[in-house]
Every structure is written in C-alpha cells, then in structure tokens.
Short mmCIF file of all heavy atoms in Angstrom, two decimals:
data_model
loop_
_atom_site.label_atom_id
_atom_site.label_comp_id
_atom_site.label_asym_id
_atom_site.label_seq_id
_atom_site.Cartn_x
_atom_site.Cartn_y
_atom_site.Cartn_z
N GLN A 1 34.75 32.27 -76.74
CA GLN A 1 35.59 32.07 -77.80
C GLN A 1 36.37 30.76 -77.67
O GLN A 1 36.34 30.10 -76.68
CB GLN A 1 36.28 33.37 -78.15
CG GLN A 1 37.41 33.62 -77.11
CD GLN A 1 38.04 34.94 -77.44
OE1 GLN A 1 37.43 36.01 -77.76
NE2 GLN A 1 39.37 35.05 -77.50
N LYS A 2 37.15 30.40 -78.74
CA LYS A 2 37.93 29.32 -78.68
C LYS A 2 39.12 29.46 -77.72
O LYS A 2 39.75 30.61 -77.63
CB LYS A 2 38.60 29.03 -80.06
CG LYS A 2 37.53 28.43 -81.04
CD LYS A 2 38.17 27.61 -82.17
CE LYS A 2 37.24 27.18 -83.17
NZ LYS A 2 36.22 26.32 -82.54
N TRP A 3 39.37 28.45 -76.84
CA TRP A 3 40.46 28.37 -75.86
C TRP A 3 41.28 27.15 -76.21
O TRP A 3 40.69 26.19 -76.46
CB TRP A 3 39.98 28.39 -74.46
CG TRP A 3 39.33 29.74 -74.14
CD1 TRP A 3 38.13 30.31 -74.39
CD2 TRP A 3 40.09 30.75 -73.21
NE1 TRP A 3 38.07 31.48 -73.76
CE2 TRP A 3 39.22 31.88 -73.12
CE3 TRP A 3 41.26 30.86 -72.64
CZ2 TRP A 3 39.36 32.96 -72.35
CZ3 TRP A 3 41.60 31.99 -71.99
CH2 TRP A 3 40.72 32.98 -71.74
N THR A 4 42.53 27.37 -76.06
CA THR A 4 43.51 26.16 -76.08
C THR A 4 44.01 25.78 -74.87
O THR A 4 44.35 26.60 -74.02
CB THR A 4 44.70 26.49 -77.16
OG1 THR A 4 44.14 26.88 -78.44
CG2 THR A 4 45.56 25.31 -77.27
N TYR A 5 44.00 24.45 -74.52
CA TYR A 5 44.36 23.97 -73.29
C TYR A 5 45.46 23.03 -73.25
O TYR A 5 45.77 22.33 -74.20
CB TYR A 5 43.22 23.18 -72.68
CG TYR A 5 41.95 24.11 -72.46
CD1 TYR A 5 40.89 24.11 -73.45
CD2 TYR A 5 41.78 24.80 -71.30
CE1 TYR A 5 39.78 24.97 -73.34
CE2 TYR A 5 40.63 25.58 -71.22
CZ TYR A 5 39.58 25.68 -72.22
OH TYR A 5 38.54 26.47 -72.10
N GLN A 6 46.31 23.06 -72.13
CA GLN A 6 47.47 22.24 -72.02
C GLN A 6 47.45 21.79 -70.50
O GLN A 6 47.56 22.67 -69.64
CB GLN A 6 48.84 22.85 -72.39
CG GLN A 6 49.96 21.84 -72.17
CD GLN A 6 51.24 22.35 -72.71
OE1 GLN A 6 51.34 22.77 -73.93
NE2 GLN A 6 52.14 22.60 -71.77
N ILE A 7 47.33 20.48 -70.24
CA ILE A 7 47.44 19.81 -68.81
C ILE A 7 48.89 19.86 -68.41
O ILE A 7 49.70 19.23 -69.05
CB ILE A 7 46.84 18.51 -68.96
CG1 ILE A 7 45.34 18.49 -69.33
CG2 ILE A 7 47.02 17.77 -67.51
CD1 ILE A 7 44.71 17.19 -69.71
N GLY A 8 49.07 20.48 -67.34
CA GLY A 8 50.41 20.53 -66.78
C GLY A 8 51.50 21.28 -67.40
O GLY A 8 51.14 21.92 -68.49
N LEU A 9 52.57 21.32 -66.83
CA LEU A 9 53.70 22.12 -67.39
C LEU A 9 54.56 21.27 -68.22
O LEU A 9 54.67 20.07 -68.11
CB LEU A 9 54.46 22.72 -66.17
CG LEU A 9 53.73 23.51 -65.19
CD1 LEU A 9 54.70 24.07 -64.00
CD2 LEU A 9 53.08 24.76 -65.88
N HIS A 10 55.24 21.94 -69.06
CA HIS A 10 56.24 21.23 -70.04
C HIS A 10 57.36 20.42 -69.09
O HIS A 10 57.67 19.31 -69.38
CB HIS A 10 56.91 22.28 -70.99
CG HIS A 10 57.73 21.60 -72.05
ND1 HIS A 10 57.18 20.47 -72.81
CD2 HIS A 10 59.01 21.66 -72.41
CE1 HIS A 10 58.09 20.11 -73.77
NE2 HIS A 10 59.27 20.83 -73.44
N GLY A 11 57.81 21.09 -68.20
CA GLY A 11 58.74 20.61 -67.23
C GLY A 11 58.29 19.36 -66.57
O GLY A 11 59.06 18.38 -66.22
N GLU A 12 56.95 19.33 -66.29
CA GLU A 12 56.36 18.07 -65.51
C GLU A 12 56.36 16.92 -66.71
O GLU A 12 56.75 15.74 -66.23
CB GLU A 12 54.85 18.41 -65.14
CG GLU A 12 54.77 19.25 -63.96
CD GLU A 12 53.38 19.40 -63.55
OE1 GLU A 12 52.65 19.95 -64.38
OE2 GLU A 12 52.88 18.93 -62.53
N SER A 13 55.99 17.26 -67.87
CA SER A 13 55.92 16.14 -68.85
C SER A 13 57.32 15.65 -69.09
O SER A 13 57.43 14.32 -69.43
CB SER A 13 55.34 16.70 -70.09
OG SER A 13 56.15 17.62 -70.79
N LEU A 14 58.44 16.36 -68.90
CA LEU A 14 59.80 15.93 -69.08
C LEU A 14 60.28 15.33 -67.91
O LEU A 14 61.38 14.76 -67.98
CB LEU A 14 60.63 17.13 -69.45
CG LEU A 14 60.41 17.77 -70.94
CD1 LEU A 14 61.31 19.03 -71.02
CD2 LEU A 14 60.62 16.79 -72.08
N GLY A 15 59.61 15.31 -66.80
CA GLY A 15 60.06 14.79 -65.53
C GLY A 15 61.40 15.54 -64.98
O GLY A 15 62.13 14.72 -64.44
N VAL A 16 61.43 16.72 -65.15
CA VAL A 16 62.73 17.52 -64.79
C VAL A 16 62.89 17.40 -63.21
O VAL A 16 64.03 17.68 -62.75
CB VAL A 16 62.80 18.93 -65.21
CG1 VAL A 16 62.84 18.96 -66.74
CG2 VAL A 16 61.67 19.78 -64.68
N HIS A 17 61.92 16.98 -62.41
CA HIS A 17 62.14 16.86 -61.05
C HIS A 17 62.70 15.64 -60.64
O HIS A 17 63.20 15.50 -59.48
CB HIS A 17 60.64 16.85 -60.34
CG HIS A 17 59.88 15.66 -60.70
ND1 HIS A 17 59.06 15.61 -61.86
CD2 HIS A 17 59.76 14.42 -60.08
CE1 HIS A 17 58.43 14.38 -61.88
NE2 HIS A 17 58.94 13.69 -60.80
N SER A 18 62.89 14.74 -61.62
CA SER A 18 63.57 13.43 -61.27
C SER A 18 64.96 13.47 -61.60
O SER A 18 65.51 14.40 -62.39
CB SER A 18 62.89 12.20 -62.05
OG SER A 18 63.10 12.38 -63.44
N VAL A 19 65.85 12.47 -61.10
CA VAL A 19 67.29 12.39 -61.40
C VAL A 19 67.52 12.24 -62.89
O VAL A 19 68.26 12.86 -63.50
CB VAL A 19 67.92 11.25 -60.64
CG1 VAL A 19 69.28 11.19 -61.08
CG2 VAL A 19 67.76 11.65 -59.06
N ALA A 20 66.64 11.30 -63.38
CA ALA A 20 66.80 11.07 -64.83
C ALA A 20 66.30 12.14 -65.83
O ALA A 20 66.91 12.59 -66.76
CB ALA A 20 66.08 9.74 -65.31
N GLY A 21 65.10 12.63 -65.44
CA GLY A 21 64.54 13.69 -66.28
C GLY A 21 65.18 15.07 -66.23
O GLY A 21 65.10 15.92 -67.08
N SER A 22 65.95 15.30 -65.09
CA SER A 22 66.63 16.59 -65.00
C SER A 22 67.69 16.85 -66.02
O SER A 22 68.14 17.87 -66.43
CB SER A 22 67.19 16.84 -63.55
OG SER A 22 68.32 15.87 -63.49
N SER A 23 68.10 15.70 -66.62
CA SER A 23 69.24 15.88 -67.58
C SER A 23 68.59 16.05 -69.06
O SER A 23 69.33 16.29 -69.95
CB SER A 23 70.03 14.56 -67.73
OG SER A 23 69.30 13.51 -68.02
N SER A 24 67.24 16.19 -69.16
CA SER A 24 66.64 16.26 -70.53
C SER A 24 66.53 17.80 -70.84
O SER A 24 65.99 18.09 -71.98
CB SER A 24 65.24 15.59 -70.48
OG SER A 24 64.42 16.33 -69.54
N VAL A 25 66.89 18.58 -70.00
CA VAL A 25 66.73 20.13 -70.37
C VAL A 25 68.08 20.81 -70.11
O VAL A 25 69.00 20.37 -69.47
CB VAL A 25 65.61 20.78 -69.52
CG1 VAL A 25 64.31 20.29 -69.86
CG2 VAL A 25 66.00 20.85 -68.15
N GLU A 26 68.23 22.00 -70.80
CA GLU A 26 69.44 22.84 -70.56
C GLU A 26 69.26 23.74 -69.42
O GLU A 26 68.46 24.63 -69.33
CB GLU A 26 69.73 23.63 -71.77
CG GLU A 26 70.21 22.78 -73.04
CD GLU A 26 71.72 22.44 -72.78
OE1 GLU A 26 72.51 23.15 -72.19
OE2 GLU A 26 71.99 21.31 -73.36
N TRP A 27 70.08 23.53 -68.38
CA TRP A 27 70.07 24.33 -67.13
C TRP A 27 71.00 25.41 -67.26
O TRP A 27 72.22 25.33 -67.67
CB TRP A 27 70.30 23.59 -65.87
CG TRP A 27 69.42 22.41 -65.65
CD1 TRP A 27 69.32 21.16 -66.12
CD2 TRP A 27 68.24 22.60 -64.80
NE1 TRP A 27 68.31 20.47 -65.64
CE2 TRP A 27 67.61 21.25 -64.80
CE3 TRP A 27 67.74 23.53 -63.98
CZ2 TRP A 27 66.42 21.04 -64.10
CZ3 TRP A 27 66.55 23.21 -63.14
CH2 TRP A 27 65.92 22.09 -63.26
N GLY A 28 70.56 26.79 -66.99
CA GLY A 28 71.50 27.79 -66.99
C GLY A 28 71.83 28.37 -65.73
O GLY A 28 71.61 27.77 -64.61
N SER A 29 72.36 29.54 -65.67
CA SER A 29 72.76 30.21 -64.29
C SER A 29 71.57 30.54 -63.50
O SER A 29 70.38 30.67 -64.13
CB SER A 29 73.62 31.50 -64.63
OG SER A 29 72.86 32.37 -65.43
N ALA A 30 71.63 30.66 -62.35
CA ALA A 30 70.44 30.82 -61.37
C ALA A 30 69.68 32.06 -61.74
O ALA A 30 70.12 33.20 -61.97
CB ALA A 30 70.93 30.90 -60.04
N ALA A 31 68.30 31.84 -62.01
CA ALA A 31 67.39 32.92 -62.32
C ALA A 31 66.37 33.11 -61.26
O ALA A 31 65.25 32.64 -61.30
CB ALA A 31 66.63 32.50 -63.62
N GLY A 32 66.82 33.90 -60.14
CA GLY A 32 65.96 34.18 -59.04
C GLY A 32 64.88 35.11 -59.41
O GLY A 32 65.02 35.88 -60.37
N LYS A 33 63.80 35.05 -58.69
CA LYS A 33 62.71 36.01 -58.72
C LYS A 33 62.04 35.95 -60.11
O LYS A 33 61.33 36.96 -60.44
CB LYS A 33 63.20 37.40 -58.45
CG LYS A 33 63.85 37.36 -56.95
CD LYS A 33 64.00 38.83 -56.37
CE LYS A 33 64.55 38.70 -55.01
NZ LYS A 33 64.90 39.95 -54.44
N GLN A 34 62.20 34.96 -60.81
CA GLN A 34 61.51 34.83 -62.17
C GLN A 34 60.35 33.86 -61.94
O GLN A 34 60.42 32.78 -61.27
CB GLN A 34 62.44 34.19 -63.17
CG GLN A 34 63.56 35.10 -63.63
CD GLN A 34 63.15 36.39 -64.26
OE1 GLN A 34 62.29 36.30 -65.23
NE2 GLN A 34 63.72 37.37 -63.94
N PRO A 35 59.07 34.28 -62.42
CA PRO A 35 57.93 33.37 -62.26
C PRO A 35 58.15 32.07 -63.10
O PRO A 35 58.85 32.11 -64.22
CB PRO A 35 56.76 34.15 -62.82
CG PRO A 35 57.38 35.24 -63.71
CD PRO A 35 58.67 35.47 -63.22
N LEU A 36 57.51 31.03 -62.65
CA LEU A 36 57.49 29.78 -63.48
C LEU A 36 58.79 29.32 -63.87
O LEU A 36 59.05 29.15 -65.03
CB LEU A 36 56.52 29.96 -64.66
CG LEU A 36 55.49 28.85 -64.88
CD1 LEU A 36 54.73 28.50 -63.61
CD2 LEU A 36 54.59 29.02 -66.02
N THR A 37 59.65 29.03 -62.80
CA THR A 37 61.07 28.67 -63.30
C THR A 37 61.36 27.43 -62.35
O THR A 37 61.01 27.28 -61.18
CB THR A 37 61.97 29.78 -62.92
OG1 THR A 37 61.60 30.89 -63.65
CG2 THR A 37 63.47 29.44 -63.29
N TRP A 38 62.06 26.40 -62.96
CA TRP A 38 62.57 25.30 -62.22
C TRP A 38 63.99 25.68 -61.83
O TRP A 38 64.74 26.14 -62.58
CB TRP A 38 62.56 24.09 -63.24
CG TRP A 38 61.36 23.58 -63.69
CD1 TRP A 38 60.54 24.20 -64.78
CD2 TRP A 38 60.50 22.53 -63.16
NE1 TRP A 38 59.47 23.53 -64.94
CE2 TRP A 38 59.25 22.50 -63.94
CE3 TRP A 38 60.70 21.62 -62.11
CZ2 TRP A 38 58.35 21.68 -63.80
CZ3 TRP A 38 59.54 20.71 -61.92
CH2 TRP A 38 58.55 20.72 -62.74
N HIS A 39 64.39 25.21 -60.61
CA HIS A 39 65.66 25.37 -60.08
C HIS A 39 66.23 24.06 -59.56
O HIS A 39 65.41 23.33 -58.99
CB HIS A 39 65.67 26.39 -58.97
CG HIS A 39 65.03 27.70 -59.12
ND1 HIS A 39 65.57 28.64 -60.11
CD2 HIS A 39 63.73 28.14 -58.87
CE1 HIS A 39 64.77 29.72 -60.22
NE2 HIS A 39 63.74 29.42 -59.46
N LYS A 40 67.49 23.78 -59.65
CA LYS A 40 68.13 22.57 -59.18
C LYS A 40 69.49 22.93 -58.44
O LYS A 40 70.25 23.74 -58.79
CB LYS A 40 68.23 21.51 -60.11
CG LYS A 40 69.38 21.65 -61.17
CD LYS A 40 69.59 20.41 -61.96
CE LYS A 40 70.89 20.55 -62.76
NZ LYS A 40 71.26 19.40 -63.64
N ALA A 41 69.63 22.04 -57.44
CA ALA A 41 70.94 22.08 -56.81
C ALA A 41 71.35 20.71 -56.10
O ALA A 41 70.36 19.91 -56.03
CB ALA A 41 70.85 23.17 -55.56
N TYR A 42 72.60 20.61 -56.04
CA TYR A 42 73.04 19.22 -55.35
C TYR A 42 73.56 19.64 -53.90
O TYR A 42 74.07 20.66 -53.63
CB TYR A 42 74.16 18.68 -56.20
CG TYR A 42 73.67 18.13 -57.50
CD1 TYR A 42 73.72 18.93 -58.68
CD2 TYR A 42 73.02 16.84 -57.60
CE1 TYR A 42 73.34 18.54 -59.80
CE2 TYR A 42 72.67 16.31 -58.85
CZ TYR A 42 72.75 17.17 -59.95
OH TYR A 42 72.16 16.73 -61.12
N PHE A 43 73.31 18.61 -53.02
CA PHE A 43 73.82 18.87 -51.61
C PHE A 43 74.15 17.43 -50.89
O PHE A 43 73.53 16.40 -51.43
CB PHE A 43 72.69 19.62 -50.90
CG PHE A 43 71.50 18.78 -50.58
CD1 PHE A 43 71.25 18.06 -49.42
CD2 PHE A 43 70.45 18.68 -51.52
CE1 PHE A 43 70.09 17.30 -49.10
CE2 PHE A 43 69.24 18.00 -51.33
CZ PHE A 43 69.14 17.25 -50.23
N ASN A 44 74.92 17.61 -49.83
CA ASN A 44 75.21 16.40 -49.09
C ASN A 44 74.30 16.55 -47.94
O ASN A 44 74.00 17.35 -47.30
CB ASN A 44 76.72 16.41 -48.71
CG ASN A 44 77.73 16.49 -49.88
OD1 ASN A 44 77.34 15.91 -50.94
ND2 ASN A 44 78.87 17.06 -49.65
N ALA A 45 74.20 15.20 -47.40
CA ALA A 45 73.27 15.03 -46.24
C ALA A 45 73.97 15.49 -45.09
O ALA A 45 75.19 15.28 -44.96
CB ALA A 45 72.87 13.50 -45.97
#
C-alpha cells in the first residue's frame, strides 16, 4: 500500500546537535527513559 517516507529526524534537519542549531528548539526539563529524545547539557573541561 502507500507509504510516506521522511529521511532523517526533524532534530537532525534543525541541527540541534550544533551550538547554533540547539537554540532553534524549546528545551524542557529532563525527560529520561523516553524514546527518541534529544538531551543537552553544559560542562567544563
């Protein structure tokens, strides 16, 4: 039957892994143990 396809994840297309792209989405409180979730944190070397 008909299937609809999308290449990659929405977060990938927004570049949320990058310093610039991470500001393009609304980050909320930590959502552990949820599938398909982006997480971010800041740290010192």
Side-chain angles (χ1 to χ4, degrees):
Q1 62 186 50
K2 285 198 182 305
W3 288 79
T4 300
Y5 298 94
Q6 181 175 297
I7 296 165
L9 303 178
H10 188 57
E12 284 183 298
S13 69
L14 295 173
V16 298
H17 66 273
S18 67
V19 176
S22 65
S23 61
S24 63
V25 297
E26 287 288 326
W27 296 85
S29 56
K33 303 194 177 171
Q34 294 295 312
L36 223 56
T37 305
W38 299 81
H39 308 286
K40 78 168 182 177
Y42 291 93
F43 67 97
N44 297 335

